[in-house]
Amino acid sequence: MTLQQIYREGKETLERAGIAEAGLDAWYLLEYVTGISRASYYGDPGRVVTEEDLCRYRECIEKRAGHIPLQHITGEQEFMGLSFRVNDQVLIPRQDTETLVEEALKYAMPGMRVLDLCTGSGCILISLLHFCPGLTGVGSDISAEALKMARTNGQRLHVEDRAQWLCGDLFEKVTGAFDLIVSNPPYIRSAEIEELQEEVRLYDPRIALDGAEDGLLFYRRIIEESKSYLKNGGRLLFEIGCDQGRDVAELLENAGYTEVSVKKDLAGLDRVAAGRLQ
């Protein structure tokens, strides 16, 4: 079979399975298995595929047709233009979260120290360290398995000498003071988890999703405890759900934070809440 034939077969299989972006996912898997670029494909779509690549491609397509996330098949996800390793122990990095990194980078400076709570794959902390040389940081997560992936990503992206990884419940193992604290905590309301897409509901770690009854449990905890770890003038920044801006802003204001703001993402939805500790 040719490249064009197996791509069409893969796309049709994913369409029948109800995969939203069937054509795109079929292409990514073709690229993953064969290593081909789009230019090479369009230059020679009739190239015959090896039997080994054909079998691998069909296996990958069947997994994706079963709603296994694309990133769990390829083992990686791009975030902030960087390639991160991922598995079923970490939340897959999403483009929405880039808004949090972009906001934090407005305040990050060489010599500062940043704390990333619920670090997961490490994508937030590692991106900050990558784009702000001279910044150092700590990533904390309750999952030891998630931290293994974060360490791997730190090594692959060459920031391991500026990153420390701690296994604990939020601030449990954290010491010292920080100029910035960032977090993408679990914020989905417990009752809403069963309504999520199958790829998220079944394959993202529930511990990384469940924000308790109102989705605000971790915001309350972090906001209250952060004052013991944030330097005067330091900033606390969160990713938030699109309907949580007002609630999280009020929590920050009630805790004494100033310059409280809510930043929208590229889709025009509330995505980042931030405040400054006086």
Side-chain angles (χ1 to χ4, degrees):
M1 294 185 70
T2 67
L3 287 167
Q4 186 177 59
Q5 287 173 327
I6 69 167
Y7 168 70
R8 285 178 176 172
E9 176 187 287
K11 178 183 176 183
E12 290 169 0
T13 299
L14 297 185
E15 286 174 343
R16 287 194 299 270
I19 301 302
E21 296 184 321
L24 191 59
D25 285 6
W27 167 258
Y28 282 143
L29 290 174
L30 183 66
E31 188 179 49
Y32 169 67
V33 169
T34 66
I36 195 168
S37 67
R38 285 190 180 272
S40 296
Y41 173 83
Y42 287 116
D44 187 15
R47 194 184 88 190
V48 175
V49 179
T50 67
E51 190 66 27
E52 179 182 1
D53 281 352
L54 175 60
C55 290
R56 284 187 63 214
Y57 184 66
R58 283 175 168 167
E59 288 174 2
C60 290
I61 287 291
E62 286 305 314
K63 288 180 180 179
R64 185 69 189 100
H67 291 267
I68 295 175
L70 177 73
Q71 298 86 348
H72 287 180
I73 300 170
T74 64
E76 63 183 12
Q77 169 66 17
E78 183 178 297
F79 180 81
M80 293 294 296
L82 306 172
S83 177
F84 286 86
R85 298 292 296 173
V86 296
N87 59 18
D88 60 2
Q89 299 299 312
V90 300
L91 191 71
I92 295 170
R94 290 164 169 81
Q95 186 179 19
D96 293 340
T97 307
E98 293 183 356
T99 307
L100 173 59
V101 175
E102 290 163 356
E103 283 300 296
L105 283 171
K106 294 178 180 179
Y107 306 107
M109 296 177 60
M112 284 186 171
R113 192 168 181 242
V114 59
L115 171 64
D116 177 21
L117 296 170
C118 310
T119 193
S121 67
C123 65
I124 295 172
L125 177 60
I126 291 167
S127 296
L128 290 172
L129 299 183
H130 175 85
F131 290 107
C132 185
L135 187 71
T136 60
V138 175
S140 174
D141 201 288
I142 199 168
S143 168
E145 292 301 313
L147 289 174
K148 289 181 182 178
M149 188 58 67
R151 289 190 186 95
T152 296
N153 284 321
Q155 292 165 359
R156 292 179 68 248
L157 294 167
H158 312 296
V159 299
E160 68 271 22
D161 58 331
R162 293 188 284 132
Q164 180 185 9
W165 309 102
L166 302 176
C167 187
D169 183 9
L170 298 181
F171 295 95
E172 180 184 2
K173 299 292 180 63
V174 176
T175 59
F178 298 85
D179 302 278
L180 295 171
I181 297 178
V182 296
S183 183
N184 178 17
Y187 59 72
I188 307 297
R189 297 173 182 87
S190 299
E192 295 177 356
I193 290 179
E194 294 308 314
E195 302 171 9
L196 298 174
Q197 282 186 321
E198 189 174 335
E199 286 87 342
V200 177
R201 185 179 75 251
L202 297 183
Y203 294 101
D204 274 335
R206 190 179 182 101
I207 195 173
L209 300 172
D210 196 339
E213 183 177 0
D214 64 358
L216 301 174
L217 172 65
F218 291 93
Y219 297 113
R220 293 191 185 93
R221 288 188 57 193
I222 293 171
I223 288 170
E224 183 57 35
E225 296 177 40
S226 64
K227 291 183 284 186
S228 298
Y229 297 89
L230 199 57
K231 295 178 181 178
N232 288 337
R235 295 180 186 271
L236 175 60
L237 299 95
F238 291 112
E239 176 170 334
I240 57 173
C242 61
D243 60 349
Q244 295 173 322
R246 179 175 297 179
D247 290 333
V248 178
E250 287 182 359
L251 289 173
L252 286 163
E253 290 169 349
N254 292 340
Y257 278 85
T258 63
E259 300 180 28
V260 173
S261 63
V262 176
K263 171 74 174 181
K264 296 185 183 297
D265 60 20
L266 292 175
L269 302 174
D270 289 350
R271 188 58 57 193
V272 174
R276 180 174 181 267
L277 186 67
Q278 289 284 51

